Amino acid sequence: MSFDYRIIDDVIHSRVRLAIMSYLATAHSAEFVELKKALKVSDGNLSTHLKKLEDTGYVIVSKQFVDNKPLTRIEISREGETAFRTYVDGLAAMLGPATNTKKT
Amino acid sequence: MSFDYRIIDDVIHSRVRLAIMSYLATAHSAEFVELKKALKVSDGNLSTHLKKLEDTGYVIVSKQFVDNKPLTRIEISREGETAFRTYVDGLAAMLGPATNTKKT
DNA sequence: GTTAGTACTTTGTAATACAAAGTACTTTGC
DNA sequence: GCAAAGTACTTTGTATTACAAAGTACTAAC
């Protein structure tokens, strides 16, 4: 139970980026449009958040053309997976007892 | 498992405010200095975040003088408790499988 | 062949996070 | 007894952020 707010990684902590990382934590990879729909985020917003994650090295972004249309694939990196796990653990430590997830 | 990033309450989601709410979720109330030490946050930063929580109605702040020194007591409100619970549930829904907290 | 759509990126701006500086005291040296 | 240092905050300044609107580069439809 640590309440030091600095234990939580603010690259991951942003709402949109947390949603991206959560999605990728299970899916491992996704397409731009797929994420956009799942997270209900505007494309501009998604784009900037992806860039931040890419710059930090938490995701790997690869662009190609399929049927003459751009197709962006986003993959979580090793570093990203580790960071995400650390983030979740830190969060659990902060939330404390409230973490006991109730299964519906 | 919802990845819609808007389900998470951004009043609570800020790192410092999440730490405050987590602290108060178990302690129910705390003093300014107590929070400052527990969260390792600068006083200016704590002050502004508390104001936001107070404005939103998630905490109740009461100021008094004890031994001629100001003493600020922060208490979580009913609304705050509900919002926090909703926040944690939303977070769990987003994090998905990663939520299964491992007990050290 | 203009109009609409897809898949993005860049840009503009309002809001945020944070610490430094400020306020109002009180206690401690000397 | 009064300057200097401390306590408990609040206000202010600024760099960063979050977000959508506008822009780019195409293709498909009418």
Side-chain angles (χ1 to χ4, degrees), chain B residues 5 32-33 43-44 47 51 63 70-72:
Chain B
Y5 81 102
F32 187 92
V33 175
D43 35 16
S47 187
K51 189 141 83 178
K63 291 145 204 266
L71 207 180
T72 301

Side-chain angles (χ1 to χ4, degrees), chain A residues 28-64:
Chain A
H28 193 260
S29 89
E31 292 169 17
F32 187 92
V33 175
E34 181 187 352
L35 276 179
K36 182 169 125 86
K37 278 178 189 158
L39 314 197
K40 296 207 174 71
V41 65
S42 70
D43 34 16
N45 201 9
L46 178 56
S47 186
T48 48
H49 282 297
L50 280 176
K51 188 141 85 181
K52 176 111 184 203
L53 285 173
E54 191 185 12
D55 290 348
T56 311
Y58 288 175
V59 301
I60 296 145
V61 177
S62 44
K63 290 146 205 267
Q64 51 173 321

Side-chain angles (χ1 to χ4, degrees), chain B residues 86-102:
Chain B
T86 304
Y87 171 85
V88 172
D89 289 350
L91 207 62
M94 179 171 288
L95 294 175
T99 317
N100 302 322
T101 319
K102 57 158 187 293

Side-chain angles (χ1 to χ4, degrees), chain B residues 16-59:
Chain B
V16 172
R17 289 196 298 270
L18 179 58
I20 296 169
M21 293 299 283
S22 296
Y23 191 97
L24 293 177
T26 43
H28 193 258
S29 89
E31 290 169 18
F32 187 92
V33 175
E34 181 187 352
L35 276 179
K36 181 169 126 88
K37 278 178 187 157
L39 314 197
K40 297 206 174 69
V41 65
S42 70
D43 35 16
N45 202 9
L46 178 56
S47 187
T48 48
H49 282 296
L50 281 176
K51 189 141 83 178
K52 176 110 184 202
L53 286 173
E54 191 185 12
D55 289 349
T56 312
Y58 288 176
V59 302

Side-chain angles (χ1 to χ4, degrees), chain A residues 13-16, chain B residues 5-18 21 49 52-53 56 58 83 87 91:
Chain A
H13 192 63
S14 140
R15 281 148 88 219
V16 172
Chain B
Y5 81 102
R6 297 165 306 177
I7 64 168
I8 78 136
D9 183 342
D10 56 0
V11 171
I12 295 182
H13 192 63
S14 141
R15 280 149 89 220
V16 172
R17 289 196 298 270
L18 179 58
M21 293 299 283
H49 282 296
K52 176 110 184 202
L53 286 173
T56 312
Y58 288 176
Y87 171 85
L91 207 62

